[in-house]
Structures are given as structure tokens and as C-alpha cells.
Amino acid sequence: MSIIEPKIDVLLNETDNDRFLLCALASKRAHDINDMMRGQRDRAIQLQTAVEIARAADTKPLSMAFNEIARGEVSYDPESIDVKNH
């Protein structure tokens, strides 16, 4: 599996070229997205058609997280990272 969009260079630029930070940031955001989707699923079933639900479920949480990182919508506080133990 490879990342086609967004480009890996764009993602790494958002995390100061730290691939481990990128993985941690994407993983945490994908986890949050997954929790939100799970919590909204019951309500969405009542409000939307099956086609709309299937279309929304087609995008994986990790893909959503990578797209948000590339757009600059997800960030981190560099002061909160322990560089020595990172």
C-alpha cells in the first residue's frame, strides 16, 4: 500500500520531516475520527439514506487524518515533544 494523495512530502513538511511524528499524529487523529464515526453511526442511520452512509464509510479514518494533516487542519505543539526521548 502506498500513499498517493496527499503526497508524502507534503505530509512530512507539516511535521518537520519527522516520519515518526507524522505516524503518531495521524494515528491519534484517525483514532479520534473513528470514535466520532462510531458515536454518530446510530444517529446517521436514522437521518441518512443507505447510499449516503456507504459513501461516507468508504473513506477510512487514516485517510481522513492524512488529508487533514496535509491541509494544515491538524497540528501539534513542538514544545510538548520531548526530543531526547522521542
Side-chain angles (χ1 to χ4, degrees), residues 25-85:
L25 194 61
S27 174
K28 180 166 177 33
R29 180 62 185 141
H31 183 73
D32 292 344
I33 291 170
N34 196 28
D35 285 347
M36 286 188 302
M37 289 173 70
R38 192 175 300 131
Q40 295 295 323
R41 189 165 289 139
D42 292 335
R43 191 172 71 83
I45 289 172
Q46 295 172 353
L47 299 175
Q48 297 176 341
T49 66
V51 173
E52 291 170 334
I53 294 168
R55 192 175 303 130
D58 193 37
T59 304
K60 303 292 184 200
L62 189 57
S63 296
M64 290 179 188
F66 280 137
N67 285 323
E68 289 178 358
I69 292 169
R71 290 191 304 261
E73 296 172 1
V74 175
S75 62
Y76 65 99
D77 180 14
E79 298 296 320
S80 67
I81 298 173
D82 184 3
V83 178
K84 292 180 183 177
N85 293 320

Side-chain angles (χ1 to χ4, degrees), residues 18-31:
D18 187 336
R19 63 182 186 259
F20 298 108
L21 178 60
L22 173 61
C23 289
L25 194 61
S27 174
K28 180 166 177 33
R29 180 62 185 141
H31 183 73

